[in-house]
Amino acid sequence: MANRTETRTERAHRTIHAGGEWLAASSGATREILDPADALPFTVVAEGDEKDTDLAVAAARRAFDAGEWPHTPVAGRAALLRRVAELLVRDREELGLLESRDAGKTVEEGRVDIDCVADAFRYFADLVAGEAPGRVVDAGSPEVHSVVVHEPVGVCAMITPWNYPLLQASWKVAPALAAGNTFVIKPSEITPLTTIALIDLLVEAGLPTGVANIVTGPGHTVGARLAEHPDVDLVSFTGGLTSGTKVAQAAAVTVKKVALELGGKNPNVVFADACETEEGFDTAVDQALNAAFIHSGQVCSAGGRLIVEESVRERFVAELARRAQKIRLGRGTEDGVECGPLVSAQQRAKTEDYVASALAEGAELRCGGKRPEPSPQRPESGYFYEPTVLDHCHREMRVVREEVFGPVLTVETFRTEDEAVALANDTEYGLAGAVWTADAGRARRVAGRLRHGTVWINDFHPYLPQAEWGGFGKSGVGRELGPAGLAEYRESKHVYQNLAPKPVRWFAG
């Protein structure tokens, strides 16, 4: 294998890792990776296909069926995960910068992502290390020993999105390895670089050959083959609803386990009493900006639906728009930049289409709604779009119903608590939401009534690796993180031992 410097910066064309080797695509195809800040290519990766996918799955299958990792003691698996966390800390600056250039986010966001990735590896290491070896079941007889144990699922296919490339990968890789599985991962074809780097770190940490495999390539070939492959035991997908539905349909043919995280249309509900003090008002506005515009709104849990009590609506929205106009857009690697570009020309065009449709349907543009003026920090060729606030929105608008994945905030209003809850739940998704209020009783009532997998009270966006993440409705099935996130990568087995066997005499003969 090439040395570490070469693998990170000069391994052009060889980004498929199968059975312990870095390979070019079998077809010889490659893809240029563009910096979304200027649309210029800055590296090249292999463009894999079904043949490459089959090679990687075969390697993962061998490593699971005949390899050592599934039988490695829990302490050994936990130790490797902790070693990976240490390597992530060591390479934090390098990986944070790579995430910034690849996905367009600011370097500081990239650094925070790497911290969170390290936290995920530590959490799952601690979780498995602290578990009991099995759950004893009371069989009602001293002559029976009954225990439920957990075993790895097998070969796991992981399909990850472009917005948080390494973070989303870690939410799958860490629990899968903790449970003793092998895997093949397909990162987004437009942001694969930090996931490639993670494979290097796993190898450096001592993971046995064939346990970790990666195929860089598009979803319609690599992703589709992973979902349908008969030697894959589980497929975990994070991405859009349409693609996730196709993954589930393909996986159903072989009746493999499926976990889907499919995004959301997330309400941020602000009651007037949260704004009664200047500090409360300032905090709620500040958090509404964070909810909608972090990473240019390219977040599955983005609070893109502001649902604000009518009595404070005008003051709240005016201040929100004023501050949104001051957000400093630019290349994520530049000092002082607060928000980077969208990830691709396609994503910006999609955002522009949603804004145009909203204005045609009667929304009022309070700020943004266009590409910014070019500057040294914002090359004209980059995929920049101004933070946009759309007022006087209603449920029938596409921009309110559908996931935009761009820097667009819609504003709806309510008068009563029941109306606020009804609006917040009036979505086919159910990933996350927030309620802002100074009334503790109201906070608990509303949180209890919201049909979303994560509900924040007087906050937005924080998550904990020890708490489950996932959604209701069309936001997906299954959970990542927390004990349930580990359980996704396990099978439960009941072992019933008769300590004093004797004839049953059911049949007289």
Side-chain angles (χ1 to χ4, degrees):
M1 179 175 162
N3 63 48
R4 181 170 171 266
T5 301
E6 191 269 347
T7 59
R8 292 286 176 85
T9 61
E10 300 174 359
R11 193 203 292 131
H13 305 188
R14 295 191 295 115
T15 54
I16 294 170
H17 192 261
E21 294 186 70
W22 286 105
L23 306 168
S26 58
S27 66
T30 61
R31 175 187 289 265
E32 291 183 328
I33 301 301
L34 307 182
D35 186 332
D38 55 22
L40 296 177
F42 68 98
T43 192
V44 176
V45 298
E47 182 88 332
D49 58 18
E50 294 91 343
K51 184 176 180 180
D52 302 300
T53 306
D54 287 348
L55 183 68
V57 171
R61 187 79 262 168
R62 288 192 302 272
F64 184 79
D65 292 342
E68 62 189 273
W69 184 249
H71 311 290
T72 298
V74 167
R77 297 201 300 267
L80 184 133
L81 265 62
R82 293 191 185 102
R83 174 61 176 151
V84 174
E86 292 170 359
L87 295 174
L88 287 160
V89 172
R90 180 196 71 186
D91 295 350
R92 180 178 185 260
E93 290 301 311
E94 179 185 351
L95 293 171
L97 177 60
L98 191 60
E99 200 78 320
S100 173
R101 290 204 68 189
D102 205 9
K105 61 183 66 181
T106 66
V107 173
E108 184 54 35
E109 287 179 272
R111 295 185 185 114
V112 171
D113 285 357
I114 306 309
D115 293 341
C116 293
V117 172
D119 286 344
F121 275 90
R122 292 190 197 98
Y123 168 71
F124 284 108
D126 292 345
L127 182 61
V128 294
E131 286 184 320
R135 176 170 58 89
V136 176
V137 178
D138 184 1
S141 168
E143 297 180 342
V144 171
H145 179 260
S146 180
V147 62
V148 174
V149 297
H150 301 291
E151 298 181 356
V153 170
V155 175
C156 302
M158 304 168 181
I159 304 172
T160 56
W162 48 258
N163 60 332
Y164 284 87
L166 191 56
L167 184 63
Q168 292 290 343
S170 74
W171 289 10
K172 303 178 191 301
V173 171
L177 292 180
N181 296 283
T182 64
F183 70 86
V184 179
I185 190 166
K186 190 208 88 67
S188 167
E189 57 269 34
I190 58 176
T191 58
L193 301 182
T194 51
T195 309
I196 295 169
L198 177 62
I199 302 298
D200 274 330
L201 296 186
L202 291 170
V203 172
E204 184 179 351
L207 192 67
T209 298
V211 175
N213 306 273
I214 183 172
V215 183
T216 49
H220 69 272
T221 54
V222 178
R225 180 58 178 154
L226 284 173
E228 69 181 12
H229 204 294
D231 283 338
V232 167
D233 301 297
L234 172 150
V235 58
S236 178
F237 172 88
T238 299
L241 176 59
T242 300
S243 297
T245 301
K246 292 178 181 178
V247 166
Q249 291 170 340
V253 177
T254 51
V255 200
K256 56 173 60 73
K257 291 186 71 174
V258 176
L260 304 172
E261 202 268 80
L262 305 179
K265 193 64 183 177
N266 312 290
N268 186 21
V269 180
V270 179
F271 284 88
D273 63 8
C275 304
E276 288 178 347
T277 66
E278 285 303 312
E279 181 181 6
F281 177 78
D282 175 67
T283 300
V285 172
D286 174 79
Q287 290 274 15
L289 289 168
N290 292 342
F293 300 130
I294 287 289
H295 193 18
S296 292
Q298 299 171 118
V299 185
C300 60
S301 57
R305 289 181 68 199
L306 174 64
I307 302 173
V308 60
E309 192 164 353
E310 190 173 282
S311 61
V312 296
R313 172 271 200 82
E314 182 52 41
R315 181 188 176 211
F316 197 97
V317 176
E319 180 62 9
L320 184 71
R322 186 188 71 81
R323 296 190 196 183
Q325 289 175 305
K326 291 188 172 185
I327 293 175
R328 295 189 292 273
L329 299 180
R331 188 187 296 272
T333 55
E334 296 281 346
D335 291 339
V337 167
E338 297 172 322
C339 203
L342 294 174
V343 76
S344 65
Q346 178 185 11
Q347 197 61 29
R348 183 173 62 181
K350 176 184 173 183
T351 300
E352 290 174 325
D353 180 64
Y354 273 113
V355 172
S357 72
L359 296 177
E361 292 171 335
E364 177 187 348
L365 182 66
R366 298 294 293 260
C367 71
K370 66 182 187 300
R371 303 179 186 185
E373 290 296 320
S375 73
Q377 292 78 30
R378 294 190 301 271
E380 187 172 8
S381 57
Y383 308 130
F384 295 97
Y385 195 78
E386 292 182 355
T388 300
V389 177
L390 297 169
D391 202 357
H392 299 292
C393 294
H394 54 78
R395 185 68 184 96
E396 286 69 36
M397 293 177 173
R398 281 183 59 226
V399 74
V400 175
R401 296 195 313 272
E402 300 174 12
E403 190 174 34
V404 177
F405 241 62
V408 177
L409 177 66
T410 62
V411 181
E412 302 163 79
T413 58
F414 67 90
R415 294 183 179 179
T416 68
E417 183 178 312
D418 286 344
E419 186 181 2
V421 171
L423 283 171
N425 285 336
D426 189 10
T427 172
E428 62 184 1
Y429 295 101
L431 183 61
V435 53
W436 289 83
T437 177
D439 184 330
R442 170 184 282 160
R444 289 191 293 270
R445 285 195 308 272
V446 173
R449 296 173 66 189
L450 292 182
R451 297 284 295 168
H452 299 272
T454 293
V455 177
W456 296 289
I457 297 174
N458 297 335
D459 211 329
F460 210 102
H461 275 321
Y463 80 94
L464 301 171
Q466 60 267 37
E468 280 74 2
W469 179 266
F472 296 6
K474 291 186 178 180
S475 284
V477 295
R479 290 293 184 269
E480 296 190 293
L481 303 179
L486 178 63
E488 295 285 351
Y489 293 91
R490 285 174 159 176
E491 297 282 14
S492 296
K493 176 185 287 185
H494 178 205
V495 180
Y496 180 104
Q497 181 180 7
N498 189 336
L499 302 175
K502 53 183 176 291
V504 177
R505 304 302 186 195
W506 185 274
F507 299 105

